[in-house]
Amino acid sequence: TNSLLGVILPLAQICFQWDDTRMGAVMESFLGGLKDPRVSSYFSPIANASLYADHPSFPYKGIRNGAYINTKADHIPFSKVNPNFNDPPNGGTTTTRRDFTAAEVFFLKAEAGLRGWAGAGDPKTNYEEGVRLSFSDWGAGGVDAYLADNTSKPWDYVDPVDPRNNFTSRSTITVAWNDADSKELKLEKIMTQKWINNFTN
């Protein structure tokens, strides 16, 4: 209702009141492929296992932006945002978006350090601290294992409803920092974590 405007997050308004948005396919690719525990803070798992048969241990499914759609109903069963983002009368507990977090500050410092800016500090230290603060902020566990993971990569996306929406991931990054990586690869890791952290912004 109009009385909720200004209280409910726009993301939740679109998802719960209008039923018009779901997890993005790129989010699925990164959060699932990188085994990111923050996924449960962002999205809701789905009950229909046939929709996530391409990754049975990850019960989430997103939809590709600009997807081919025959009818809205086809993708309604895909992952909604976490109910915590709903309006308070319907059980939501999060009514403000994270605008400029401590985690983001460390990702910005990591990027600045990578570019050689004076006083920015060590890129690796800042990158890892940004991830740690993000996990803490979003209530996720397992940050040490996540930061050490040098094998998991974003996976290809499969749309179980319409294969025209399938895509091969263009990113092949892992989470673990590697000083031997190129500057561009390090920057991609920093920006990926900044993007994941800034969900709702």
Side-chain angles (χ1 to χ4, degrees), residues 38-146:
R38 287 171 291 187
V39 66
S40 62
S41 297
Y42 294 177
F43 301 104
S44 295
I46 56 177
N48 185 349
S50 70
L51 295 178
Y52 56 91
D54 54 315
H55 43 68
S57 63
F58 185 82
Y60 300 87
K61 180 52 66 175
I63 181 172
R64 189 171 184 175
N65 290 0
Y68 292 99
I69 296 178
N70 293 317
T71 175
K72 174 179 171 177
D74 286 345
H75 292 88
I76 288 292
F78 287 27
S79 292
K80 290 185 177 185
V81 297
N82 188 297
N84 285 338
F85 297 118
N86 205 353
D87 60 278
N90 286 307
T93 57
T94 304
T95 58
T96 56
R97 66 187 178 124
R98 289 159 167 82
D99 188 27
F100 197 73
T101 65
E104 183 176 357
V105 171
F106 277 90
F107 294 132
L108 294 171
K109 288 179 65 178
E111 182 182 357
L114 192 63
R115 297 181 187 280
W117 291 14
D122 177 59
K124 176 182 186 289
T125 301
N126 287 327
Y127 168 79
E128 292 184 346
E129 183 62 15
V131 173
R132 290 183 187 283
L133 286 170
S134 179
F135 269 55
S136 177
D137 190 28
W138 286 105
V143 69
D144 290 334
Y146 183 78

Side-chain angles (χ1 to χ4, degrees), residues 160-198:
V161 174
D162 193 332
R164 292 178 296 173
N165 296 316
N166 296 354
F167 66 75
T168 300
S169 176
R170 291 187 162 199
S171 178
T172 58
I173 64 166
T174 62
V175 173
W177 189 268
N178 182 353
D179 283 324
D181 285 342
S182 69
K183 181 178 178 180
E184 287 304 310
L185 184 54
K186 291 174 182 174
L187 182 61
E188 183 181 355
K189 290 185 178 187
I190 294 167
M191 299 311 290
T192 296
Q193 290 300 324
K194 182 180 173 184
W195 170 70
I196 294 172
N197 172 70
N198 286 3

